Structures are given as C-alpha cells and as structure tokens.
Amino acid sequence: INISLTVSPVYDDKGTLVGGSKICRDITNQVKTNRERSMLAAIVDSTEDGIISKDLAGIIQTWNRGATKIFGYTAEEMVGKSIEALIPPEMPEEEPLLLAKLKRGERIDLYETIRVRKDGERIDVALSVSPIRDATGNIIGASKIVRDITKHKRLKDENDMLQAQLLNVEETSRLKSSFISTVSHEIRAPLGGI
C-alpha cells in the first residue's frame, strides 16, 4: 500500500528527545487516481485527433495538441472562446442542434461535417461528441473528438470518379462489341436483313 507518513519528535519534561510519534495514512487510492489521470492526460496530449471540451454554452474549456495540428490555433488562442469560431458562417444552425442533443444526454458518433482552420481553409472532419457529467450526473459540457478526413474524402471521391470512368469504359466496350457483332453478322448474311 502507499502511505503518507508524518514523524514528529517526542520530548520529555526536560526537553530531552525520548522518541517519535508517527501518523500514517493510506493513500493507495489517491496514488492510483493520480496515476490514471496522468495516463489519460498523456493519451489526450499525444493523440493525432483533436480533443476539445466545451461547456453547455459552447465555450471551449480544453484544447489538445491534436486540435492545434488540425485547426492551426493554439490552446491559448482557443480556450475561453466559442466553438463557433470553427464553424463555417453558412452553417449557424449546426452548433445549437449539437448542443441540444448533448443537453438531452445523447452521444453523437462519427458525424461528418465541415470546419474552418485558422488560415481560412475549409476541411472535412468526423466528430464524435459525448456529454460530460459532474459527480452528481448532471450534464455540464461536452467532449469532442475531431478527425481531419479531408485527404480521405478526396481519395474516396477520386476513387469513385475512377470507378465511374471504368464502368463507362466497360459499357462503351460492351456497346462497341455489340455493334461490331451486329455489323459483322449483317455483312455475312445480307439477305437475312432484307
């Protein structure tokens, strides 16, 4: 077990040291909790995904390195600001809808949307948003995990376009073969057509 130990000297009437007094407290749970918190903090800090927490008014409370990498803003620039700074102006209804779901205790899993970086670039992101509850179970905010899927979506769009082109080539080839077969048959059997 982990303990906290306090040792105090014990003196007699004449001021001579005659012993010691020890107070021992079991701090095993506290040490375990601190270790778990440190581990979680290290995970949040080292992930490539943006992890952002906000209160129920949409004000950013925490911002990790992943969020800085994705959006270009530092934690100092964003903590205390509205999350709406990241939302395109033409999508004003999105944040109130997300907050309403959170206030009802609902999770939002892999919601794809658009966000705006510090440099103004629009990026495709996938969001997972979970309510944060206090010790009594009341919802006090939200935890947001953000993944930049811009490259993934571009590759998917390019792949879809390539698939469509291949299908078009296959259809063209099939029609060409059918036409050649029909013409070939008509040339070999001209009286059949008449």
Side-chain angles (χ1 to χ4, degrees), residues 94-191:
E94 188 176 72
E95 186 62 14
L97 290 173
L98 293 176
L99 283 171
K101 284 185 173 191
L102 288 167
K103 288 175 182 176
R104 292 190 303 266
E106 297 176 32
R107 283 181 49 94
I108 299 159
D109 292 318
L110 294 176
Y111 173 71
E112 291 187 13
T113 188
I114 297 168
R115 291 293 180 258
V116 181
R117 291 176 36 85
K118 182 178 181 178
D119 62 10
E121 178 187 355
R122 290 168 186 259
I123 57 173
D124 294 296
V125 297
L127 303 174
S128 292
V129 189
S130 302
I132 297 173
R133 298 177 187 273
D134 64 13
T136 61
N138 295 318
I139 298 170
I140 58 169
S143 168
K144 221 175 232 194
I145 299 175
V146 182
R147 178 166 287 169
D148 184 349
I149 59 170
T150 305
K151 289 178 186 173
H152 173 74
K153 280 197 82 162
R154 284 184 190 148
L155 288 174
K156 184 182 178 305
D157 290 346
E158 288 172 9
N159 186 37
D160 290 348
M161 205 163 55
L162 183 59
Q163 290 288 348
Q165 289 172 348
L166 287 173
L167 287 174
N168 194 19
V169 167
E170 288 174 6
E171 178 64 15
T172 302
S173 179
R174 187 187 67 71
L175 289 173
K176 180 180 168 186
S177 293
S178 175
F179 176 74
I180 290 172
S181 174
T182 302
V183 169
S184 173
H185 175 72
E186 293 300 322
I187 290 174
R188 278 186 264 129
L191 292 177

Side-chain angles (χ1 to χ4, degrees), residues 22-88:
K22 294 181 184 177
I23 299 173
C24 186
R25 273 181 279 148
D26 181 355
I27 59 167
T28 304
N29 287 338
Q30 182 181 347
V31 169
K32 181 182 174 193
T33 301
N34 289 344
R35 191 174 323 135
E36 289 172 355
R37 283 185 181 161
S38 294
M39 185 69 95
L40 286 174
I43 290 168
V44 167
D45 199 43
S46 66
T47 185
E48 294 292 312
D49 291 337
I51 300 179
I52 304 165
S53 68
K54 63 183 181 180
D55 65 17
L56 292 178
I59 303 301
I60 297 169
Q61 304 298 306
T62 61
W63 182 272
N64 77 335
R65 287 185 198 180
T68 296
K69 184 176 177 185
I70 292 170
F71 294 109
Y73 293 102
T74 64
E76 292 78 19
E77 291 175 293
M78 292 307 292
V79 171
K81 302 271 184 354
S82 173
I83 196 78
E84 291 181 4
L86 305 174
I87 299 173

